[in-house]
Amino acid sequence: MSSELNVPMGSPAPGVSERAPDGGGMDYRDWVRRSYLELVSSNHHSVQALSWRKLYLSRAKLKASSRTSALLSGFAMVAMVEVELEMEYCYPPVLLIAFSVCTTVLVAVHLFALLISTCILPNVEAVSNIHNLNSVSESPHERMHHYIELAWGFSTALGILLFLAEVVLLCWIKFLPVDSSRSGPPCRTGTQPTTSPVPQDSGWKAALASTIIMVPVGVIFLVFTIHFYRSLVRHKTERHHQEIEELHKIKVQLDGHERGLQTV
């Protein structure tokens, strides 16, 4: 009986060494410290995941804005070059000035968005192709965030509105001279315009029909743009509120652990 109870003091009891690696011999302080380290590491990975998500979102915006700007600016330049003005018809000066200004502003806005995308996108692409979590800090998307949003707004919102206006003005220039010979004699240089559109002209009706169709389309586009951005801002705000609540819960848990350590 005494030989069975005579266990050396320096050696652990049978079964203790098997439970020690699994945390069986861990006290409350060690458990809190280990939980805190796991929490900090998980938060670090979540911050990196958020940074990578912002990087991919910025890259997608730059790609979309560059493609849209190149396409619409090319269409505007083709419309400017290929439009054929009737030399025998006196166009209203306001119409010609509006078409020239709209085309110039449209091309300038899209080329500016294309310039921003071309300058920033290669740097973002170079970092996104590196398979390393810590390389996200090398990307300039955080510092150039305002320029990326500016290019995105110019290419999608302002650029598309100008393109719709360009279509309306082009319809007026293209269809207004049709059947205008019945309205009066052709315009001569150095005299006042004698040709004016009347409601009976088919060209005037065609241009008016295109305007009537395009005005509701522009209003729907504006309403959708405002609703989309408000929904996006609301979604981001809700996500931030959820993250703040999660951080508050973590803080409460850590405060409770600290009080438990003080009582121990």
Side-chain angles (χ1 to χ4, degrees):
M1 186 69 180
S2 61
S3 61
E4 295 177 358
L5 297 177
N6 191 8
V7 180
M9 297 300 294
S11 62
V16 176
S17 60
E18 287 81 2
R19 290 194 303 268
D22 297 335
M26 185 182 299
D27 58 356
Y28 188 70
R29 292 175 181 271
D30 294 335
W31 180 79
V32 172
R33 187 179 297 107
R34 181 179 179 182
S35 300
Y36 178 75
L37 292 176
E38 292 178 355
L39 181 63
V40 170
S41 61
S42 63
N43 289 334
H44 179 67
H45 289 300
S46 63
V47 170
Q48 284 186 340
L50 180 61
S51 299
W52 277 101
R53 187 180 67 85
K54 291 181 179 179
L55 186 144
Y56 287 134
L57 180 61
S58 300
R59 186 182 68 173
K61 285 185 176 181
L62 291 173
K63 284 185 176 181
S65 62
S66 62
R67 293 171 183 173
T68 305
S69 297
L71 185 64
L72 295 184
S73 61
F75 282 159
M77 289 299 298
V78 170
M80 173 70 81
V81 173
E82 296 296 332
V83 64
E84 296 179 358
L85 299 178
E86 295 290 339
M87 304 306 297
E88 297 180 356
Y89 180 78
C90 284
Y91 291 92
V94 177
L95 180 61
L96 296 178
I97 293 173
F99 179 73
S100 176
V101 171
C102 183
T103 305
T104 305
V105 175
L106 174 63
V107 173
V109 166
H110 281 297
L111 288 182
F112 183 69
L114 184 61
L115 174 65
I116 296 176
S117 303
T118 306
C119 292
I120 302 178
L121 185 59
N123 299 282
V124 177
E125 286 278 3
V127 176
S128 63
N129 293 328
I130 299 176
H131 301 286
N132 187 3
L133 294 177
N134 296 324
S135 62
V136 67
S137 59
E138 300 177 3
S139 176
H141 68 281
E142 291 288 348
R143 184 182 298 273
M144 301 294 179
H145 174 72
H146 298 289
Y147 296 101
I148 295 173
E149 294 296 329
L150 183 64
W152 173 255
F154 276 4
S155 179
T156 56
L158 183 59
I160 295 179
L161 282 177
L162 290 173
F163 188 78
L164 295 178
E166 176 84 4
V167 172
V168 173
L169 294 174
L170 188 61
C171 289
W172 278 98
I173 291 178
K174 192 69 176 178
F175 295 121
L176 197 58
V178 177
D179 294 337
S180 62
S181 60
R182 296 179 302 177
S183 303
C187 180
R188 292 183 298 273
T189 306
T191 61
Q192 295 294 328
T194 58
T195 304
S196 59
V198 295
Q200 288 78 19
D201 289 342
S202 59
W204 188 88
K205 291 180 180 179
L208 182 62
S210 65
T211 305
I212 293 174
I213 293 174
M214 197 61 69
V215 168
V217 171
V219 172
I220 293 173
F221 176 79
L222 284 175
V223 172
F224 173 77
T225 303
I226 295 173
H227 175 71
F228 172 76
Y229 278 103
R230 291 186 63 181
S231 301
L232 186 62
V233 170
R234 189 182 302 112
H235 173 71
K236 290 183 178 180
T237 305
E238 292 176 357
R239 288 293 305 166
H240 288 318
H241 282 306
Q242 292 178 359
E243 293 176 358
I244 290 172
E245 290 178 357
E246 291 177 358
L247 291 175
H248 179 69
K249 292 179 181 178
I250 293 172
K251 179 180 179 298
V252 171
Q253 293 178 358
L254 291 176
D255 292 340
H257 292 332
E258 289 178 359
R259 295 192 188 95
L261 285 174
Q262 292 176 0
T263 54
V264 172

